[in-house]
Amino acid sequence: MSTIFSKIINKEIPADIVYESDTVLAFNDIRPQAPVHVLIIPKIEIPKVTDIKGSEHAALLGEMIDAANKIARDLSIADDGFRLVFNCGDNGGQEVYHLHLHLLAGRKMNWPPG
Ligand code: AMP
């Protein structure tokens, strides 16, 4: 089922886009949990981590990581460090069922996470 992220991909609703390729889109989270909070999503609809098939989606996941690294370099946060997070399912805290990689940075992250 399509989510609000499909509307962002199709430019039906606005987002603060920081990176775009043929396969991947990245935009600022509307409720940032850190000074830098970017969501990196595939343009195809994959609901959640458990729907990923390594044989099918390996290149796409690599592109998402490449995008995260490029954004981190562009924002000059690569050296200080950052956190990448996939929330999966209810207990994982997933709210939007379109795969997304959170890029969090700009402050010291806590561990264990809440
Ligand atoms: P998750 O809890 O992992 O599913 O994360 C979903 C994220 O999407 C949350 O951090 C929301 O703040 C963010 N979000 C929801 N709607 C939008 C939107 N229209 N634009 C940007 N971020 C959004």
Side-chain angles (χ1 to χ4, degrees):
M1 198 180 75
S2 290
T3 70
I4 193 161
F5 289 177
S6 291
K7 292 191 168 64
I8 290 175
I9 292 165
N10 295 327
K11 311 282 163 67
E12 291 164 15
I13 64 167
D16 190 6
I17 293 170
V18 298
Y19 174 86
E20 181 164 17
S21 73
D22 289 346
T23 52
V24 170
L25 186 69
F27 49 90
N28 285 316
D29 196 294
I30 205 165
R31 283 175 286 154
Q33 303 300 315
V36 173
H37 189 171
V38 176
L39 301 175
I40 299 154
I41 69 172
K43 287 188 172 177
I44 61 168
E45 289 183 13
I46 301 172
K48 57 188 192 295
V49 167
T50 47
D51 296 308
I52 294 171
K53 295 183 181 66
S55 56
E56 200 177 323
H57 299 127
L60 182 59
L61 287 175
E63 288 170 38
M64 291 171 70
I65 299 290
D66 283 350
N69 282 329
K70 180 178 179 352
I71 294 162
R73 283 193 301 272
D74 288 351
L75 297 177
S76 302
I77 49 138
D79 289 343
D80 285 340
F82 52 86
R83 183 169 290 174
L84 297 177
V85 176
F86 284 110
N87 294 325
C88 181
D90 197 27
N91 275 1
Q94 186 172 5
E95 290 176 4
V96 179
Y97 280 79
H98 182 121
L99 187 72
H100 50 281
L101 182 60
H102 294 260
L103 167 59
L104 297 150
R107 65 168 170 82
K108 184 84 175 162
M109 298 297 149
N110 300 316
W111 195 264

